Each structure stands twice: as C-alpha cells, then as structure tokens.
mmCIF file of all heavy atoms in Angstrom:
data_model
loop_
_atom_site.group_PDB
_atom_site.id
_atom_site.type_symbol
_atom_site.label_atom_id
_atom_site.label_comp_id
_atom_site.label_asym_id
_atom_site.label_seq_id
_atom_site.Cartn_x
_atom_site.Cartn_y
_atom_site.Cartn_z
ATOM 1 N N MET A 1 98.178 106.704 82.381
ATOM 2 C CA MET A 1 97.978 105.526 81.588
ATOM 3 C C MET A 1 99.320 104.808 81.463
ATOM 4 O O MET A 1 100.347 105.418 81.189
ATOM 5 C CB MET A 1 97.436 105.905 80.211
ATOM 6 C CG MET A 1 97.243 104.701 79.348
ATOM 7 S SD MET A 1 96.331 104.885 77.795
ATOM 8 C CE MET A 1 96.766 106.484 77.210
ATOM 9 N N ILE A 2 99.282 103.510 81.637
ATOM 10 C CA ILE A 2 100.481 102.689 81.565
ATOM 11 C C ILE A 2 100.601 102.000 80.206
ATOM 12 O O ILE A 2 101.677 101.828 79.675
ATOM 13 C CB ILE A 2 100.486 101.623 82.687
ATOM 14 C CG1 ILE A 2 100.435 102.300 84.048
ATOM 15 C CG2 ILE A 2 101.675 100.715 82.581
ATOM 16 C CD1 ILE A 2 101.582 103.233 84.340
ATOM 17 N N GLY A 3 99.476 101.601 79.628
ATOM 18 C CA GLY A 3 99.527 100.888 78.362
ATOM 19 C C GLY A 3 98.265 101.111 77.560
ATOM 20 O O GLY A 3 97.247 101.535 78.087
ATOM 21 N N ALA A 4 98.339 100.825 76.291
ATOM 22 C CA ALA A 4 97.191 100.905 75.395
ATOM 23 C C ALA A 4 97.366 99.867 74.301
ATOM 24 O O ALA A 4 98.489 99.519 73.941
ATOM 25 C CB ALA A 4 97.082 102.298 74.789
ATOM 26 N N ALA A 5 96.248 99.363 73.797
ATOM 27 C CA ALA A 5 96.297 98.402 72.699
ATOM 28 C C ALA A 5 95.189 98.748 71.721
ATOM 29 O O ALA A 5 94.054 98.996 72.125
ATOM 30 C CB ALA A 5 96.118 96.980 73.220
ATOM 31 N N PHE A 6 95.541 98.799 70.459
ATOM 32 C CA PHE A 6 94.542 99.074 69.437
ATOM 33 C C PHE A 6 95.050 98.546 68.111
ATOM 34 O O PHE A 6 96.222 98.227 67.969
ATOM 35 C CB PHE A 6 94.228 100.572 69.349
ATOM 36 C CG PHE A 6 95.443 101.427 69.128
ATOM 37 C CD1 PHE A 6 95.843 101.759 67.848
ATOM 38 C CD2 PHE A 6 96.184 101.889 70.201
ATOM 39 C CE1 PHE A 6 96.970 102.549 67.643
ATOM 40 C CE2 PHE A 6 97.310 102.680 70.005
ATOM 41 C CZ PHE A 6 97.701 103.007 68.727
ATOM 42 N N GLY A 7 94.161 98.439 67.159
ATOM 43 C CA GLY A 7 94.510 97.934 65.842
ATOM 44 C C GLY A 7 93.286 97.397 65.155
ATOM 45 O O GLY A 7 92.160 97.691 65.558
ATOM 46 N N PRO A 8 93.472 96.587 64.128
ATOM 47 C CA PRO A 8 92.327 96.081 63.376
ATOM 48 C C PRO A 8 91.474 95.125 64.202
ATOM 49 O O PRO A 8 91.980 94.397 65.059
ATOM 50 C CB PRO A 8 92.961 95.361 62.184
ATOM 51 C CG PRO A 8 94.340 95.021 62.628
ATOM 52 C CD PRO A 8 94.747 96.100 63.598
ATOM 53 N N ALA A 9 90.185 95.152 63.945
ATOM 54 C CA ALA A 9 89.249 94.305 64.688
ATOM 55 C C ALA A 9 89.504 92.813 64.476
ATOM 56 O O ALA A 9 89.163 92.006 65.336
ATOM 57 C CB ALA A 9 87.812 94.644 64.291
ATOM 58 N N VAL A 10 90.118 92.453 63.359
ATOM 59 C CA VAL A 10 90.353 91.033 63.083
ATOM 60 C C VAL A 10 91.323 90.401 64.077
ATOM 61 O O VAL A 10 91.352 89.181 64.218
ATOM 62 C CB VAL A 10 90.853 90.801 61.637
ATOM 63 C CG1 VAL A 10 89.796 91.204 60.629
ATOM 64 C CG2 VAL A 10 92.145 91.526 61.383
ATOM 65 N N VAL A 11 92.114 91.215 64.776
ATOM 66 C CA VAL A 11 93.040 90.686 65.788
ATOM 67 C C VAL A 11 92.251 90.102 66.949
ATOM 68 O O VAL A 11 92.615 89.067 67.482
ATOM 69 C CB VAL A 11 94.013 91.788 66.257
ATOM 70 C CG1 VAL A 11 94.840 91.313 67.428
ATOM 71 C CG2 VAL A 11 94.896 92.223 65.115
ATOM 72 N N GLY A 12 91.185 90.747 67.353
ATOM 73 C CA GLY A 12 90.324 90.235 68.416
ATOM 74 C C GLY A 12 90.628 90.839 69.775
ATOM 75 O O GLY A 12 91.765 91.186 70.092
ATOM 76 N N GLU A 13 89.569 90.984 70.565
ATOM 77 C CA GLU A 13 89.680 91.602 71.880
ATOM 78 C C GLU A 13 90.556 90.798 72.842
ATOM 79 O O GLU A 13 91.251 91.370 73.672
ATOM 80 C CB GLU A 13 88.299 91.801 72.481
ATOM 81 C CG GLU A 13 87.472 92.840 71.749
ATOM 82 C CD GLU A 13 86.102 93.016 72.345
ATOM 83 O OE1 GLU A 13 85.767 92.301 73.315
ATOM 84 O OE2 GLU A 13 85.353 93.865 71.845
ATOM 85 N N LEU A 14 90.533 89.476 72.745
ATOM 86 C CA LEU A 14 91.333 88.663 73.664
ATOM 87 C C LEU A 14 92.830 88.896 73.467
ATOM 88 O O LEU A 14 93.591 88.936 74.431
ATOM 89 C CB LEU A 14 90.999 87.184 73.515
ATOM 90 C CG LEU A 14 89.615 86.777 74.020
ATOM 91 C CD1 LEU A 14 89.380 85.293 73.745
ATOM 92 C CD2 LEU A 14 89.465 87.077 75.489
ATOM 93 N N GLU A 15 93.245 89.059 72.236
ATOM 94 C CA GLU A 15 94.663 89.329 71.978
ATOM 95 C C GLU A 15 95.061 90.686 72.536
ATOM 96 O O GLU A 15 96.130 90.835 73.127
ATOM 97 C CB GLU A 15 94.974 89.269 70.480
ATOM 98 C CG GLU A 15 96.403 89.618 70.145
ATOM 99 C CD GLU A 15 97.455 88.759 70.852
ATOM 100 O OE1 GLU A 15 97.174 87.585 71.168
ATOM 101 O OE2 GLU A 15 98.563 89.262 71.103
ATOM 102 N N TYR A 16 94.210 91.681 72.385
ATOM 103 C CA TYR A 16 94.505 92.997 72.950
ATOM 104 C C TYR A 16 94.540 92.932 74.476
ATOM 105 O O TYR A 16 95.372 93.571 75.107
ATOM 106 C CB TYR A 16 93.498 94.039 72.473
ATOM 107 C CG TYR A 16 93.609 94.316 70.999
ATOM 108 C CD1 TYR A 16 92.510 94.234 70.167
ATOM 109 C CD2 TYR A 16 94.827 94.663 70.426
ATOM 110 C CE1 TYR A 16 92.615 94.482 68.804
ATOM 111 C CE2 TYR A 16 94.948 94.902 69.074
ATOM 112 C CZ TYR A 16 93.832 94.812 68.271
ATOM 113 O OH TYR A 16 93.950 95.061 66.934
ATOM 114 N N ALA A 17 93.664 92.137 75.066
ATOM 115 C CA ALA A 17 93.674 91.962 76.522
ATOM 116 C C ALA A 17 94.978 91.309 76.978
ATOM 117 O O ALA A 17 95.558 91.704 77.992
ATOM 118 C CB ALA A 17 92.478 91.129 76.958
ATOM 119 N N ARG A 18 95.456 90.330 76.232
ATOM 120 C CA ARG A 18 96.740 89.686 76.568
ATOM 121 C C ARG A 18 97.887 90.701 76.524
ATOM 122 O O ARG A 18 98.765 90.706 77.385
ATOM 123 C CB ARG A 18 97.030 88.541 75.604
ATOM 124 C CG ARG A 18 96.227 87.305 75.860
ATOM 125 C CD ARG A 18 96.643 86.170 74.914
ATOM 126 N NE ARG A 18 95.654 85.126 74.936
ATOM 127 C CZ ARG A 18 94.654 84.985 74.057
ATOM 128 N NH1 ARG A 18 94.558 85.819 73.040
ATOM 129 N NH2 ARG A 18 93.784 84.018 74.165
ATOM 130 N N ARG A 19 97.871 91.543 75.520
ATOM 131 C CA ARG A 19 98.923 92.558 75.395
ATOM 132 C C ARG A 19 98.896 93.525 76.579
ATOM 133 O O ARG A 19 99.947 93.886 77.108
ATOM 134 C CB ARG A 19 98.754 93.334 74.089
ATOM 135 C CG ARG A 19 98.988 92.484 72.861
ATOM 136 C CD ARG A 19 98.739 93.287 71.614
ATOM 137 N NE ARG A 19 98.763 92.438 70.420
ATOM 138 C CZ ARG A 19 98.582 92.875 69.192
ATOM 139 N NH1 ARG A 19 98.383 94.161 68.969
ATOM 140 N NH2 ARG A 19 98.612 92.038 68.181
ATOM 141 N N LEU A 20 97.702 93.931 76.980
ATOM 142 C CA LEU A 20 97.590 94.848 78.113
ATOM 143 C C LEU A 20 97.942 94.166 79.424
ATOM 144 O O LEU A 20 98.564 94.764 80.296
ATOM 145 C CB LEU A 20 96.172 95.419 78.191
ATOM 146 C CG LEU A 20 95.819 96.424 77.099
ATOM 147 C CD1 LEU A 20 94.339 96.743 77.158
ATOM 148 C CD2 LEU A 20 96.651 97.674 77.231
ATOM 149 N N ALA A 21 97.558 92.916 79.579
ATOM 150 C CA ALA A 21 97.833 92.189 80.820
ATOM 151 C C ALA A 21 99.339 92.084 81.066
ATOM 152 O O ALA A 21 99.774 92.049 82.218
ATOM 153 C CB ALA A 21 97.196 90.805 80.771
ATOM 154 N N ALA A 22 100.121 92.064 80.006
ATOM 155 C CA ALA A 22 101.574 91.985 80.164
ATOM 156 C C ALA A 22 102.140 93.227 80.855
ATOM 157 O O ALA A 22 103.202 93.173 81.465
ATOM 158 C CB ALA A 22 102.239 91.793 78.801
ATOM 159 N N ASP A 23 101.421 94.363 80.778
ATOM 160 C CA ASP A 23 101.871 95.604 81.410
ATOM 161 C C ASP A 23 101.427 95.727 82.866
ATOM 162 O O ASP A 23 101.879 96.633 83.563
ATOM 163 C CB ASP A 23 101.334 96.819 80.642
ATOM 164 C CG ASP A 23 101.953 96.953 79.255
ATOM 165 O OD1 ASP A 23 103.095 96.483 79.082
ATOM 166 O OD2 ASP A 23 101.308 97.536 78.374
ATOM 167 N N LEU A 24 100.536 94.867 83.315
ATOM 168 C CA LEU A 24 99.990 94.975 84.664
ATOM 169 C C LEU A 24 100.972 94.484 85.725
ATOM 170 O O LEU A 24 101.731 93.545 85.493
ATOM 171 C CB LEU A 24 98.698 94.167 84.797
ATOM 172 C CG LEU A 24 97.503 94.671 84.008
ATOM 173 C CD1 LEU A 24 96.328 93.715 84.202
ATOM 174 C CD2 LEU A 24 97.111 96.075 84.429
ATOM 175 N N ARG A 25 100.924 95.126 86.857
ATOM 176 C CA ARG A 25 101.699 94.722 88.028
ATOM 177 C C ARG A 25 100.741 94.590 89.205
ATOM 178 O O ARG A 25 99.605 95.062 89.140
ATOM 179 C CB ARG A 25 102.785 95.770 88.352
ATOM 180 C CG ARG A 25 103.768 96.027 87.230
ATOM 181 C CD ARG A 25 104.643 94.803 86.950
ATOM 182 N NE ARG A 25 105.533 95.017 85.833
ATOM 183 C CZ ARG A 25 105.376 94.454 84.641
ATOM 184 N NH1 ARG A 25 104.371 93.665 84.404
ATOM 185 N NH2 ARG A 25 106.225 94.684 83.673
ATOM 186 N N ALA A 26 101.178 94.005 90.285
ATOM 187 C CA ALA A 26 100.338 93.817 91.468
ATOM 188 C C ALA A 26 99.744 95.155 91.904
ATOM 189 O O ALA A 26 100.429 96.174 91.946
ATOM 190 C CB ALA A 26 101.157 93.217 92.603
ATOM 191 N N GLY A 27 98.448 95.150 92.183
ATOM 192 C CA GLY A 27 97.772 96.346 92.653
ATOM 193 C C GLY A 27 97.217 97.237 91.553
ATOM 194 O O GLY A 27 96.549 98.222 91.836
ATOM 195 N N MET A 28 97.472 96.900 90.286
ATOM 196 C CA MET A 28 96.975 97.702 89.170
ATOM 197 C C MET A 28 95.602 97.196 88.733
ATOM 198 O O MET A 28 95.245 96.048 88.965
ATOM 199 C CB MET A 28 97.937 97.658 87.990
ATOM 200 C CG MET A 28 99.294 98.268 88.273
ATOM 201 S SD MET A 28 100.420 98.088 86.885
ATOM 202 C CE MET A 28 100.263 99.690 86.144
ATOM 203 N N LEU A 29 94.856 98.068 88.090
ATOM 204 C CA LEU A 29 93.514 97.756 87.615
ATOM 205 C C LEU A 29 93.469 97.966 86.107
ATOM 206 O O LEU A 29 93.924 98.993 85.603
ATOM 207 C CB LEU A 29 92.498 98.683 88.304
ATOM 208 C CG LEU A 29 91.058 98.599 87.839
ATOM 209 C CD1 LEU A 29 90.468 97.237 88.193
ATOM 210 C CD2 LEU A 29 90.252 99.711 88.477
ATOM 211 N N LEU A 30 92.908 97.001 85.390
ATOM 212 C CA LEU A 30 92.757 97.105 83.942
ATOM 213 C C LEU A 30 91.316 97.495 83.638
ATOM 214 O O LEU A 30 90.383 96.796 84.023
ATOM 215 C CB LEU A 30 93.081 95.774 83.265
ATOM 216 C CG LEU A 30 92.780 95.673 81.767
ATOM 217 C CD1 LEU A 30 93.631 96.658 80.987
ATOM 218 C CD2 LEU A 30 92.998 94.258 81.279
ATOM 219 N N LEU A 31 91.122 98.619 82.970
ATOM 220 C CA LEU A 31 89.804 99.058 82.526
ATOM 221 C C LEU A 31 89.749 98.898 81.021
ATOM 222 O O LEU A 31 90.647 99.347 80.309
ATOM 223 C CB LEU A 31 89.568 100.523 82.902
ATOM 224 C CG LEU A 31 89.617 100.849 84.388
ATOM 225 C CD1 LEU A 31 89.482 102.349 84.597
ATOM 226 C CD2 LEU A 31 88.533 100.102 85.133
ATOM 227 N N ALA A 32 88.691 98.261 80.538
ATOM 228 C CA ALA A 32 88.563 98.033 79.101
ATOM 229 C C ALA A 32 87.135 98.320 78.660
ATOM 230 O O ALA A 32 86.202 98.235 79.452
ATOM 231 C CB ALA A 32 88.930 96.585 78.772
ATOM 232 N N THR A 33 86.992 98.659 77.410
ATOM 233 C CA THR A 33 85.672 98.896 76.844
ATOM 234 C C THR A 33 85.550 98.164 75.525
ATOM 235 O O THR A 33 86.536 97.990 74.816
ATOM 236 C CB THR A 33 85.393 100.407 76.664
ATOM 237 O OG1 THR A 33 84.089 100.562 76.129
ATOM 238 C CG2 THR A 33 86.412 101.047 75.770
ATOM 239 N N GLY A 34 84.372 97.739 75.232
ATOM 240 C CA GLY A 34 84.126 97.032 73.981
ATOM 241 C C GLY A 34 83.191 97.834 73.086
ATOM 242 O O GLY A 34 82.276 97.300 72.512
ATOM 243 N N THR A 35 83.426 99.128 72.992
ATOM 244 C CA THR A 35 82.508 99.985 72.239
ATOM 245 C C THR A 35 82.878 100.118 70.774
ATOM 246 O O THR A 35 82.211 100.833 70.045
ATOM 247 C CB THR A 35 82.460 101.394 72.868
ATOM 248 O OG1 THR A 35 83.769 101.948 72.869
ATOM 249 C CG2 THR A 35 81.919 101.331 74.280
ATOM 250 N N SER A 36 83.912 99.448 70.345
ATOM 251 C CA SER A 36 84.294 99.530 68.935
ATOM 252 C C SER A 36 83.235 98.845 68.079
ATOM 253 O O SER A 36 82.701 97.804 68.464
ATOM 254 C CB SER A 36 85.638 98.863 68.705
ATOM 255 O OG SER A 36 86.636 99.494 69.459
ATOM 256 N N PRO A 37 82.956 99.378 66.919
ATOM 257 C CA PRO A 37 81.992 98.723 66.039
ATOM 258 C C PRO A 37 82.566 97.415 65.485
ATOM 259 O O PRO A 37 83.782 97.293 65.367
ATOM 260 C CB PRO A 37 81.766 99.730 64.909
ATOM 261 C CG PRO A 37 82.981 100.591 64.931
ATOM 262 C CD PRO A 37 83.479 100.614 66.359
ATOM 263 N N PRO A 38 81.726 96.440 65.198
ATOM 264 C CA PRO A 38 82.229 95.180 64.638
ATOM 265 C C PRO A 38 82.774 95.405 63.237
ATOM 266 O O PRO A 38 82.383 96.363 62.554
ATOM 267 C CB PRO A 38 80.990 94.291 64.611
ATOM 268 C CG PRO A 38 79.832 95.236 64.599
ATOM 269 C CD PRO A 38 80.284 96.457 65.340
ATOM 270 N N PRO A 39 83.663 94.520 62.791
ATOM 271 C CA PRO A 39 84.207 94.666 61.431
ATOM 272 C C PRO A 39 83.101 94.452 60.392
ATOM 273 O O PRO A 39 82.162 93.702 60.631
ATOM 274 C CB PRO A 39 85.266 93.577 61.349
ATOM 275 C CG PRO A 39 84.887 92.587 62.382
ATOM 276 C CD PRO A 39 84.194 93.359 63.474
ATOM 277 N N HIS A 40 83.229 95.117 59.279
ATOM 278 C CA HIS A 40 82.270 94.935 58.205
ATOM 279 C C HIS A 40 82.628 93.719 57.373
ATOM 280 O O HIS A 40 83.781 93.510 57.049
ATOM 281 C CB HIS A 40 82.243 96.177 57.295
ATOM 282 C CG HIS A 40 81.743 97.387 58.009
ATOM 283 N ND1 HIS A 40 82.591 98.387 58.445
ATOM 284 C CD2 HIS A 40 80.520 97.743 58.428
ATOM 285 C CE1 HIS A 40 81.891 99.315 59.053
ATOM 286 N NE2 HIS A 40 80.621 98.947 59.068
ATOM 287 N N CYS A 41 81.632 92.929 57.068
ATOM 288 C CA CYS A 41 81.862 91.702 56.285
ATOM 289 C C CYS A 41 81.531 91.922 54.830
ATOM 290 O O CYS A 41 80.713 92.668 54.466
ATOM 291 C CB CYS A 41 81.015 90.561 56.823
ATOM 292 S SG CYS A 41 81.476 90.156 58.523
#
C-alpha cells in the first residue's frame, strides 16, 4: 500500500480521492470503495 485516506464523512469522498491521487505515479492503480455508512443527520 502506498497511501490511505480516511476521516469524517463530512469531508467527502472527492476530497479523499484528491488526497490519494497526489500519491499516484505513472503505471499505478487506485482502488477505492464506498462502503462507509452515510453520516447520521
């Protein structure tokens, strides 16, 4: 594993994707899952 991103759901998946994309280099593959439960309102 090269990188990981996690934290409160209010940050949003797109922000976590941006953080992970910064660690990517040519030829690397980003695997992501959206299995986290939604925040409670």
Side-chain angles (χ1 to χ4, degrees):
M1 179 169 35
I2 300 300
F6 55 92
V10 296
V11 172
E13 292 179 358
L14 290 177
E15 177 57 29
Y16 293 127
R18 284 184 195 96
R19 293 177 189 180
L20 289 171
D23 292 333
L24 293 177
R25 302 293 177 253
M28 296 176 99
L29 174 66
L30 172 63
L31 300 175
T33 181
T35 59
S36 300
H40 295 104
C41 297

